[in-house]
DNA sequence: GCCTATGATGAAAGCGCTTTCATTTATAGC
DNA sequence: GCTATAAATGAAAGCGCTTTCATCATAGGC
């Protein structure tokens, strides 16, 4: 691989000039630039990005930390972010935190040791204090799906409460009154918020809240399975089920089929997230769309603006989820 | 951030010695090592990976190129590979080629310009010649799901023909004789091979091949939709459908429902790949498992062995797919 | 035509580390 | 106790680039 030195020699100019035509960091006379470009082409020269990083103290890499790589949930997010940065010649380094405090910490350290210019974090287990400490240490990062006091200017959020509200409200409007709820793990903020939204909708419609009709799930398919089994064992009639995510909704639907229930006539189900398999279920799942793509996009914009000083207009901090009506909900009277 | 120089000063040793304790690249006296380690801890020192890369001509990063980031298909693969490398302190840079020749090329160049130590490629559009040229240029890479002559020692493959064979054989054993086939785009090697497997199974069971019962799909959901519509328009009875991937199978199943068919009693469907949503369909999809995780694992091993000189025993070049029987196939008489 | 403001260019000092080579120190053999 | 050998350590030269600072050329203003 040719080096910048060889290019400068062939073009008959100094290193500095070559660097300038590469980076457009200072004006270079037309004729000179052409000579340099010709030399680069002739040698098949490509700048060594590692050397560039060392000299400029910029790695042009952005670290991304998500809970899981494996699931269907984050693929779109990553895809969107990768695209965004790729277009401007930067690349992403991806790590998975598995919702584990130790692992999330370790991953952040790993990403930092890789000299990432910025981090985009979707963390759940790590404490607010830790994040504030990170910010104080001068680490440039933006948070997705989390709101931390004093760090609000670097949080890109979904209005989970609104989402929970919309899900339950939809069922209420279809005439349902006995609505069971499967929450996520309650130590997760989004699980709490979605649950609050559910309660608010009930309250608004004057439906008394029945704590028996709530089950704390695990955001996994099995959570939905167990929830439905539990509710059925209760011997308490219910006509609808809202699940705090699509995985659990899918588990519930499968179980309902296994129990010989007819969907959606005997049970309406609403999910949350609108993951890619939501329309593979039968009946197709009515759910709350989580605009992950847009959130990823906005996180990328944040980095472009705050770290790479690109002229980005406004950063939107809170996104509103939307109800997506498919076939799993049914009007009763 | 402290530098190695400050550590060496605090510990009262030379840079070289500090470097040695960091990299364990030469023996250091116990007492010296402790002094250095204490100094590192005191300063909160972490080596600058960019400087390490520049000096050692190793970036400790591996480039991965897959067709899509967004779909469900590659998530597991990436997850597995990331894990593998993470454990040994290396990281992955991920890019998407979108099955487009230009884009695949460009992505490879991008990854190369990032000084990746090795590339793991899942490419479809780029030519064999291009890949041979890449190898000649000294680029270290391993290919997944592709077999290129003269590059066989760096190919990790799935026996697609066997997979296609198993899918159709399963239906034949259930008594089906009129079996329709939805292929992938025929310019893709794996699509051809799967199709060949289908034909071989028919032949083995003495079932005459009917070219009307073949439809070239696009590996997308809509391919399955169109295929089923086409076959129904044919006015030719068929009791089973094998789809060259799960997306198309899902499309076909949905369409079958829409047409009021009862599954699996009126139509058996087999997919291919066993992607994560395969058991969300209704009925749950019988399919051919593509051991993507293992293939990713093996690709990582290849890199560890051939690029990082780690003592890996044997690299397996060809993986065998397996039939996963669920509920979408039905025995007839 | 002379001076100054500006535009182009070059020289050279790093960026933080690895690695070779030379040197010093410890170990062992007699 | 002295040399031969091996084990530890240090000095210093890069790795390929960016960036400051100084220098030189050009062009206008009077």
């Amino acid at each position: 691989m040719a080096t910048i030195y060889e290019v400068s020699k062939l073009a008959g100019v100094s290193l500095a000039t070559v660097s300038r035509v590469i980076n457009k960091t200072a004006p270079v006379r037309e004729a000179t630039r052409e000579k340099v470009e010709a030399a680069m082409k002739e040698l098949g020269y490509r700048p060594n990005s590692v050397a560039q990083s060392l000299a400029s103290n910029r790695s042009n890499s952005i670290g991304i930390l998500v809970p899981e790589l494996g699931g269907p949930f984050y693929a779109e997010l990553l895809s969107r972010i990768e695209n965004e940065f790729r277009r401007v010649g930067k690349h992403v380094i991806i790590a998975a935190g598995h919702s584990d405090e130790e692992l999330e910490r370790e991953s952040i350290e790993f990403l930092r040791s890789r000299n990432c210019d910025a981090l985009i974090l979707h963390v759940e287990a790590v404490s607010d204090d830790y994040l504030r400490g990170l910010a104080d240490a001068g680490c440039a990062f933006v948070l997705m799906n989390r709101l931390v006091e004093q760090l609000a200017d670097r949080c890109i959020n979904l209005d989970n409460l609104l989402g929970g509200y919309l899900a339950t409200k939809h069922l209420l409007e279809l005439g349902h009154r006995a609505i069971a709820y499967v929450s996520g793990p309650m130590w997760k903020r989004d699980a709490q918020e979605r649950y609050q939204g559910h309660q608010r909708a009930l309250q608004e419609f004057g439906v008394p809240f029945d704590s028996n009709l709530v089950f704390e799930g695990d955001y996994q398919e099995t959570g939905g399975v167990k929830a439905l089994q539990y509710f059925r064992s209760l011997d308490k009639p219910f006509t609808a089920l809202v699940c705090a995510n699509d995985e659990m909704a899918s588990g519930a639907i499968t179980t309902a089929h296994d129990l010989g229930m007819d969907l959606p006539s005997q049970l309406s189900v609403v999910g949350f997230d609108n993951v890619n398999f939501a329309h593979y279920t039968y009946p197709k799942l009515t759910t709350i769309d989580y605009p992950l793509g847009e959130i990823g996009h906005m996180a990328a914009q944040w980095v472009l603006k705050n770290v790479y000083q690109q002229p980005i207009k406004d950063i939107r901090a809170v996104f509103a989820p939307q109800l997506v009506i498919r076939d799993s909900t049914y009007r009763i009277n």
Side-chain angles (χ1 to χ4, degrees), chain A residues 270-326:
Chain A
V270 180
F272 201 120
D273 285 346
N274 195 21
V275 301
N276 61 1
F277 65 72
H279 67 286
Y280 291 121
T281 61
Y282 183 77
K284 293 178 186 166
L285 189 63
T286 291
T287 188
I288 301 295
D289 184 59
Y290 191 137
L292 256 190
E294 285 182 64
I295 288 186
H297 168 75
M298 202 42 78
Q301 297 298 101
W302 188 96
V303 171
L304 255 20
K305 173 174 182 168
N306 293 284
V307 177
Y308 296 117
Q309 274 78 44
Q310 292 199 7
I312 307 286
K313 334 98 245 254
D314 21 53
I315 298 293
R316 201 161 134 215
V318 180
F319 283 78
Q322 277 188 311
L323 177 68
V324 178
I325 301 178
R326 295 208 181 86

Side-chain angles (χ1 to χ4, degrees), chain A residues 60-64 78 81-83 85-86 90-94 116 120:
Chain A
N60 287 317
S61 68
I62 295 94
I64 305 188
L78 297 178
I81 298 181
E82 196 265 342
N83 241 291
F85 286 122
R86 174 72 169 292
K90 315 200 178 299
H91 74 264
V92 301
I93 299 179
I94 299 173
C116 292
I120 296 180

Side-chain angles (χ1 to χ4, degrees), chain A residues 10-268:
Chain A
L10 181 60
V13 299
S14 73
L15 297 190
T17 302
V18 178
S19 174
R20 285 181 190 114
V21 350
I22 295 172
N23 300 299
K24 311 187 202 328
T25 171
V28 171
R29 211 191 320 159
E30 183 67 17
T32 316
R33 214 196 55 229
E34 278 166 9
K35 268 194 306 184
V36 172
E37 277 168 353
M40 295 202 296
K41 178 161 284 177
E42 184 175 338
L43 293 170
Y45 170 78
R46 254 185 352 221
N48 178 320
S49 66
V50 172
Q52 286 182 312
S53 297
L54 182 59
S56 65
N57 200 25
R58 269 283 156 78
S59 68
N60 287 317
S61 68
I62 295 94
I64 305 188
L65 181 54
V66 291
E68 299 297 336
L69 248 56
F73 194 61
Y74 298 102
E76 189 194 345
L77 179 74
L78 297 178
S79 173
R80 187 72 178 264
I81 298 181
E82 196 265 342
N83 241 291
E84 209 86 29
F85 286 122
R86 174 72 169 292
R87 271 212 313 257
V88 291
K90 315 200 178 299
H91 74 264
V92 301
I93 299 179
I94 299 173
H98 300 289
S99 304
D100 176 83
E101 178 165 7
E102 179 67 17
L103 245 162
E104 285 186 354
R105 260 204 169 88
E106 207 176 83
S107 298
I108 290 175
E109 282 313 303
F110 175 77
L111 259 16
R112 293 228 290 161
S113 81
R114 250 43 184 113
N115 295 74
C116 292
D117 295 337
L119 303 185
I120 296 180
L121 305 178
H122 191 308
V123 288
E124 300 180 312
V126 119
S127 72
D128 284 7
D129 273 344
Y130 175 79
L131 291 171
R132 275 189 286 263
L134 206 59
D136 290 342
C139 176
F141 66 90
V142 54
L143 292 170
M144 292 187 298
N145 197 30
R146 180 154 179 172
L147 183 58
V148 176
E149 258 182 275
Q150 297 150 307
L151 260 37
D153 52 326
R154 39 173 101 190
C155 293
I156 313 282
N157 232 318
L158 179 73
D159 189 341
N160 280 293
L161 195 148
L162 174 61
Y165 171 81
L166 289 175
T168 299
K169 181 176 170 222
H170 170 60
L171 292 168
L172 288 163
E173 288 174 344
L174 289 176
H176 296 272
R177 286 300 175 268
I179 303 174
Y181 187 87
V182 190
S183 77
M186 284 307 234
W187 63 269
K188 294 198 185 187
R189 203 164 317 235
D190 54 5
Q192 286 172 32
E193 294 168 352
R194 292 174 186 191
Y195 180 49
Q196 285 166 25
H198 165 69
Q199 292 180 306
R200 176 174 304 182
L202 289 179
Q203 190 183 342
E204 202 168 276
F205 277 71
V207 175
F209 173 68
D210 179 353
S211 65
N212 281 316
L213 285 180
V214 174
F215 184 89
E216 180 171 344
D218 54 3
Y219 273 160
Q220 318 259 39
E221 227 183 324
T222 52
V225 173
K226 285 186 201 147
L228 190 60
Q229 287 168 346
Y230 163 76
F231 290 135
R232 295 272 290 191
S233 76
L234 237 47
D235 208 31
K236 207 166 208 160
F238 63 102
T239 61
L241 183 65
V242 4
C243 299
N245 79 351
D246 290 346
E247 268 89 349
M248 297 195 299
S250 160
I253 286 177
T254 307
T255 307
H257 281 139
D258 291 349
L259 294 171
M261 299 172 79
D262 185 63
L263 301 186
S265 67
Q266 290 180 37
L267 181 66
S268 288

